[in-house]
Every structure is written in structure tokens, then in C-alpha cells.
Amino acid sequence: MTDQTITTKGPTIDTATCDGCAICIEVCPTHIFIPNGKDEIAIHPERTAFCMACGHCMAYCPSGSISVVGLSADHIFDLTRSPVDFEALSDLLASRRSVRVYKDKPVPRELLEQIVSTITLAPMGFTPHKLEITVVDDRAIIEQALPLLVDFYEKLGKWLANPFMRRMIKRRISQSKFEALDTHVIPSMTYRLPMMKATGIDTITRGAPAMILFHGRYDAAYHYEDSFIALTYGLIAAHALGLGASGISLIPPIVEKSPELRELFHIPPDHEVCSCMVLGYPKLKVKRGIHRDLAGVNWL
Ligand SMILES: Cc1cc2nc3c(=O)[nH]c(=O)nc-3n(C[C@H](O)[C@H](O)[C@H](O)COP(=O)(O)O)c2cc1C
């Protein structure tokens, strides 16, 4: 028998199998489950509207008695293997590098699908995911983008040298982004772009055979923050699969502003392009790990 509460949103409890353990009460972030005073669990009818479909009630319920509108058997799966121990995880993370030299070898679709599947395990600021990804596994498409990226960076260099345009740009982007642009990106482009044109060395996408763009609706909650966590999962998954990958911050703001690049990558007009990674088979084997200094470690 199923709980009588009829919902278009939120959880339902199969009271025939629920043993009243109350774990759902503890794990639900919006307190939708409540005790009914008879050692059973009830669903607070007014709170179902606040169900975020995070699936925690389903993931923790020992008897599998809960279902949630919007979460199907495709979403919830049994955890069959033990998670890796800390040393194994640490070794994996220590051996990851941002790869900038790739073999001329395409990434098989199955591996890209495994990376996409890992990205769907990432936490998000507010369920459900508002993030979309665009997987480009055709280097020819990336190569079509390169001249447009070069052209845009050349224009950007000229605009920053013009006091009026410089003020406009400064007003439109965050101070930290402007700093990065002004002190690193554009000055380094003064030799990188001519080198790219003269030698064909791809200083932007590093010759990678595949790319993933992370984008989401401008008005969607936390899509920007989510994109970097998703990117991180993608980078780690790629490394664990024997691939190499790197975040590429040079691409999203340009795709964002360029109608041609938006069209090339099929980015919907109401989407912000937030982050990007390139990936492929690494040409070189890394020999050493690197610890990064944090700007500070403060203990209270
Ligand atoms: C969000 C993000 C954007 C990045 N953008 C670029 C980029 O545009 N070009 C590049 O060569 N590396 C890029 N990187 C790689 C970083 O430069 C790299 O993480 C840093 O040098 C540290 O190296 P490691 O990842 O091997 O530890 C990016 C990394 C992140 C996380």
C-alpha cells in the first residue's frame, strides 16, 4: 500500500515495506518527512512543494520504500563496490596534471560517455541540475573555432589599448576577470597569437581532440558554481580513464560573446557559457606531483 498523499512533486512512502526507521527524517534537507506518532513516517503535505529531488531519502532508505517524483531507476542505483581508500584517491589526484600536449588520437565515445556519467555524480548548489554540457569529439569543429578565437583575442587586445573601450570592458566584467585579462591573458597573447598563426601551434585548445563546454540558463540558480564542480569531476574522470585534460578559461568568455562560436557549438541564446575542458590522450608521462601553496591556511 502506498501513502495516500497525492503529490505532483516530492516523495511517496510505500508503507507496506517502510519499517519506520526514520532515517528519511534525518537526511531530508527540507524536513518533508515527519513522525506520525504511531512509529510510522508521514509526509508533511505542505512541505512537498520544497522537495528538491535530491534523492537523499531514496539513497539512504534501508528498505527502498521511498520514491520521488522526477527520480527514476536511471537515477538511483545500488552501490556495489567499496569507495576507494584515501591513499588510492590521493595517488589519483597527485598524478593528475593539466595536460597541454596530446596525441593525435581521437577519444572513443565510450570513454566520453563514462566522463559524462561521472559528471552526473557531481554535487550541485540547488537540485535539479541546471547545467548542460556540450561534448565536442570532432577535432575539425574545434579547428573551425580557432581562427574565431584568435580573431576575438586580437580585437580584445586592441580594445584594451583604447581608453574608452577599456573603461567599458572594465565596467562590464568582474575586477578579478579584468585583472587576469589585463595582466596575463592579453599581454601573453601578443606573442601567442602570432606564434599560433606562424607555426600552427595551438596555444588555446592545445591540439586536444575533444572538448566539453559547460553552460546553463542565465537565470538558473547556481549554474555558474555548478559548472566548475562538474568540470573538476570531468578532469578527474578523464585522468582515471588514462586520458589527459585541462580546464580552459580562454574559451567560455569568447564563446559567450561571439555569435559565430555560439552557433558553431550550438549554445542556446539564453545560456551562459561558464567553463570548458579539453581532453585527449596525453603525449607525455608525468614523473612528479606538485603541491600548490594555498594563499593561506587558517585554523580557528
Ligand atoms: C577553471 C580553470 C581554467 C583553466 N584555464 C586554462 C587555460 O585557459 N589554459 C591553460 O593552459 N590552462 C588552464 N588551466 C589549467 C591551470 O593553469 C592549471 O590547473 C594550473 O597550471 C595548475 O596545474 P595542474 O592542473 O597541472 O596542477 C585552467 C584550470 C582551471 C581549473
Side-chain angles (χ1 to χ4, degrees):
M1 193 184 77
T2 315
D3 188 276
Q4 292 305 301
T5 316
I6 296 169
T7 54
T8 53
K9 197 176 176 187
T12 310
I13 303 172
D14 184 344
T15 50
T17 55
C18 170
D19 63 6
C21 73
I23 287 176
C24 53
I25 295 181
E26 290 192 81
V27 298
C28 176
T30 44
H31 311 287
I32 290 168
F33 301 92
I34 49 170
N36 74 351
K38 292 183 268 173
D39 289 338
E40 290 169 354
I41 312 297
I43 290 172
H44 194 299
E46 282 148 33
R47 295 184 190 165
T48 55
F50 298 100
C51 176
M52 302 192 298
C54 69
H56 279 213
C57 52
M58 291 178 77
Y60 281 92
C61 178
S63 55
S65 305
I66 303 175
S67 45
V68 173
V69 174
L71 291 179
S72 67
D74 288 344
H75 299 100
I76 305 291
F77 52 91
D78 287 336
L79 295 169
T80 49
R81 290 188 298 268
S82 308
V84 291
D85 60 32
F86 179 75
E87 277 72 25
L89 176 67
S90 192
D91 288 348
L92 178 74
L93 296 179
S95 55
R96 182 209 58 81
R97 292 270 67 80
S98 290
V99 170
R100 299 190 177 97
V101 197
Y102 294 95
K103 285 184 187 161
D104 184 13
K105 178 179 170 185
V107 181
R109 186 54 74 96
E110 308 83 78
L111 295 192
L112 291 168
E113 280 168 359
Q114 280 178 281
I115 292 168
V116 173
S117 172
T118 306
I119 289 170
T120 68
L121 301 175
M124 66 209 81
F126 198 65
T127 56
H129 247 315
K130 317 294 188 316
L131 206 59
E132 274 188 39
I133 63 173
T134 297
V135 184
V136 184
D137 64 355
D138 181 354
R139 174 71 194 167
I141 296 177
I142 299 174
E143 282 180 2
Q144 278 180 57
L146 289 177
L148 297 166
L149 289 159
V150 168
D151 186 49
F152 207 104
Y153 272 109
E154 280 178 344
K155 279 193 197 130
L156 202 51
K158 287 183 190 141
W159 292 336
L160 276 182
N162 173 314
F164 173 73
M165 292 298 285
R166 188 181 167 81
R167 270 201 304 281
M168 295 278 286
I169 294 169
K170 203 169 181 178
R171 231 180 274 156
R172 280 171 177 233
I173 63 177
S174 69
Q175 196 184 341
S176 63
K177 279 194 182 140
F178 185 83
E179 279 293 307
L181 204 58
D182 199 37
T183 61
H184 178 81
V185 177
I186 294 302
S188 80
M189 286 300 175
T190 57
Y191 65 86
R192 286 168 73 170
L193 297 182
M195 181 186 78
M196 204 160 158
K197 282 185 180 168
T199 64
I201 292 172
D202 169 10
T203 183
I204 299 178
T205 68
R206 313 286 180 180
M211 175 194 281
I212 304 178
L213 288 162
F214 299 78
H215 50 98
R217 273 193 5 247
Y218 286 104
D219 61 353
Y222 295 108
H223 68 279
Y224 192 75
E225 293 82 350
D226 288 350
S227 83
F228 287 94
I229 300 173
L231 167 88
T232 309
Y233 270 53
L235 295 177
I236 295 168
H239 176 50
L241 289 165
L243 298 165
S246 175
I248 297 290
S249 55
L250 293 174
I251 291 178
I254 311 304
V255 176
E256 178 67 17
K257 294 278 176 285
S258 156
E260 294 94 333
L261 285 166
R262 272 185 176 272
E263 196 183 326
L264 181 67
F265 293 123
H266 298 202
I267 306 294
D270 60 344
H271 277 209
E272 178 176 17
V273 185
C274 308
S275 56
C276 168
M277 65 184 265
V278 293
L279 64 159
Y281 285 94
K283 191 170 163 197
L284 310 169
K285 199 167 158 41
V286 66
K287 300 280 195 307
R288 281 159 219 100
I290 315 169
H291 270 298
R292 309 275 174 209
D293 282 333
L294 295 169
V297 179
N298 308 297
W299 301 86
L300 297 181

